[in-house]
Amino acid sequence: MDGGPKKGLALIGFSLLCLKMVASAKTAPEIPTIDQAYSKISNSITVEWATVPGATSYLLTAKDGDTVIETTVANSPGTVSGLKAATLYQITVSSISAAGRSQASPPTQAKTVLAAPVLEVSSPSSDSILVQWEAVYMATGFSVSIMRANGLGRIWKENTTNTTLTFTSLDAGTLYTIKAYAWNANGTPGDDSTCNQRTSPRAPADIQVSFDSGALAASVSWAPTEGASNYTALARSDSSQLSCSTASSGCTISSLRCGTEYLISVSASNDAGSSRSASAGTLKTIACAPGRVTIQEDPPGHLSVSWSNVDLGDYYVAFVKSDDGLEVHCNTSLPRCDFPSECGFTYFISVFAYNKAGQSPLGDVFNYTTAPCCPSDINPVLVSSDRVEMVWSPVRGAELYETRAADGFNVVECNDTAPACTLSALECDTKYNITVYSFSEARGSNTSCASRFITTAPCSPEIQSISKDAFSAIHVHWRSRNQGATCTVTARGEEGLYRCSSSGQACALGGLPCGSLFSVTAVAETQAGRSLPSYSVPLETVPCCPAGLTVTQVTQSVVNVSWTVGTGALTYVTVLASHTGQSQCRTHQNHCLLGCVTCGVNYTVALKAISATGLTADCAYQRYASITCSGSTLGMVIYRGKRNAE
C-alpha cells in the first residue's frame, strides 16, 4: 500500500514521453509560394498560390505598416477583405495542417483598387439624368455608363475627369441603370457602383377642363403619360392657388371662387420628380352675386333696383316677385333695372350675374314693401256743425289709417285700424281740408294720398229778440256768423208749428193763435247741412178776447156785465165809459157788477183780457143806449154784443 502512488506517477510520466516522441515524428506543412496577388474590389485583395500537400487551410496576411489583417481560407485562391482602397499591402500566405502551421511565404506587394464612386442621381427633366459623385482618392478619371433597366436598347458610356455628368435624349418615365467606376494614373479601373434612376415623366397632353357652376368646381382630365405615378392639376389665380392630385387620369378641383380667372395646368410626377406643367388655358368661373343692392321707390309706382358691378359679369338679370305670386324680370348689362310697382305689395328681389360659365350663386334676397294704397272712395256719412263721420273701403297694405282735418290754423286727427273715422270738436261753418293717410309698419305712411274739402254744417243762430208789430205779426231777430245760410224759425205749440225763413237776420211769424204758448227755435241751413237748433225762446201770444159780452140791467144804477171765457185770459177788466164818467171792475170770473150807472146815457162797453204773465188784450165792443129811467126794464138784457173785429 505504501508504494501505490509512486507507481501511478511513474506510469503517467512514461505516457507523456511516448506522446512527445510520436509528435516529433510528424513535420509542419511546406511554405506556400504565391503565384499572384491582385485587387478587383477596393476593400480586398485576392491571392493565388500553389497547393501545399497536407495543408488543410491557409492563413492570408495583409500588412500595411502597423496594421495587419489576417483571414483563413480553405484553398487557393483566397481573398483578404476589410482593406483600405488604393492602399499598398504586403501579402503573405502560411499553410496549416494537423502538424501545425508553416512559416509565411515570401511577401508579395499588391495594391487595392480605387473605391467606387458614391453616386447621387436625379432626373432634372423628362429626357435627362444627372449623375454626381464626390472625388475618389487617387482617381484620375471616371467611367459612367447607362442603359435601360430592362436590358433593352443601347448602352451609353462616358469617360470624364469631372465629378458630374448628364445623360440626355433619354426616354421619359423610364427606369435606367447607372454604373460608374474610377481609374488611377495607370488606367486601372477601380471598384464600381450601380444604381437605378427613373426619368421624370413628360407633361400630360390632351387636357380637358369642364366647370360645374353649381359646385364651383373644375373637372380636369388628361391622357396618361409614360412612367407617371401621380398627377397634379393646379388652378392658380392672382390671389390663391388650388389643386387636386390623383394617380388616375382626372381629378376635380373644388372650392373655386366666383368671379375669378384661373390658369389651369397639369403636371405628372414619379419618384424622379415632376414634369413641367402643361397649361390648359384659363378658366373663368361664374361671377359672384352682385352686392350693395339698393331699392328705391321714387316716384310711387316706380321701383328702381341698383347694384354694384361684379368681376367677370357679362350681364345681369334682376327678378322681382310680388307677394301675390306674380314675377317679372329684366335683363341688362347695366347695374340697374326699373320696374313698375303697385301700392301695398311686398316685393322679393334677387339679382344674378351671368357669363359664359353660367349664373352667379344666389345672393341675398331682398324684400321691399311699397307704401300702402290710399283710400279713394271716402264718403262722409254724417256732417254736422262739429263732427264729420267718414267711411271708405279697406285698401291693400294698410294696417292703420290716419285722418287729418286742417282749416289753415288747427289740425284735428284720428287714427284707427278700421276704415272709418269720426272727426269731432270741429268748428261749425268751416271748410276743412281732409286727408286719409294709410300706414304700414314696414313702409310708414303714404303721403301721396289726395285730400278733399268738406265744410261743416252752419253754426246755430242765437235768437236775440221777439217783437210784435202793429199788425200783430211776430218778428223774430237772431244773430248768426254763418256765410250764405238760410235761417228757419219754428214756433212749436199745442196749436201746431209755425215757421218763417230768411237769409237775413230776422223773419216774421204770422197767424199765431191768441192765448197760446210757443217754443221758438232757429236753425241755419247751407249746402253743407243744417245746424243744431238754437236755444229755445218761449213765446206767449196775448189772451183771446171773449167772443160775446152781455149787459143786464139789475137796477137803475147797477148793471151786470158777463162774457164768454177768453183763451189764455186769467184776469178781466170791464169798463163802462160815457161822457159823464166810467165805471170798471177787475175779476177772475166771467162776469162783473158795475154800479153808478146813469139811466138815459149811452155807454161804451170795453173789456181787457189779461194773461197770467200780464199780457193784455184790449177787447172793444159796440156802444149801447141805456133805457129810460123806469122800472119796467129791470132784469132785462139791455145789450148783447160781439167783440169788434181787430
Side-chain angles (χ1 to χ4, degrees), residues 237-316:
S237 69
D238 292 338
S239 59
S240 64
Q241 178 174 296
L242 298 169
S243 63
C244 64
S245 296
T246 180
S248 61
S249 59
C251 65
T252 299
I253 304 175
S254 304
S255 303
L256 298 177
R257 295 180 180 177
C258 60
T260 304
E261 184 173 358
Y262 288 94
L263 178 63
I264 305 298
S265 61
V266 181
S267 62
S269 63
N270 55 22
D271 53 1
S274 297
S275 70
R276 64 175 180 83
S277 294
S279 175
T282 59
L283 169 67
K284 292 182 179 180
T285 62
I286 57 175
C288 296
R292 297 200 299 273
V293 177
T294 59
I295 304 164
Q296 291 181 327
E297 187 186 13
D298 185 23
H302 177 84
L303 207 61
S304 177
V305 182
S306 59
W307 54 87
S308 60
N309 279 313
V310 295
D311 293 337
L312 304 185
D314 294 336
Y315 64 96
Y316 304 92

Side-chain angles (χ1 to χ4, degrees), residues 113 147 382 549 570:
V113 298
M147 66 176 297
L382 173 65
L549 180 144
L570 179 63

Side-chain angles (χ1 to χ4, degrees), residues 75-133:
N75 48 40
S76 177
T79 300
V80 57
S81 300
L83 308 180
K84 294 185 291 183
T87 302
L88 183 64
Y89 286 91
Q90 298 288 335
I91 306 299
T92 61
V93 180
S94 298
S95 58
I96 301 172
S97 67
R101 184 177 71 184
S102 72
Q103 292 182 2
S105 67
T108 298
Q109 289 186 340
K111 192 174 185 179
T112 54
V113 298
L114 303 182
V118 179
L119 302 180
E120 293 182 7
V121 292
S122 61
S123 177
S125 65
S126 61
D127 64 347
S128 66
I129 290 179
L130 171 64
V131 185
Q132 301 178 88
W133 57 89

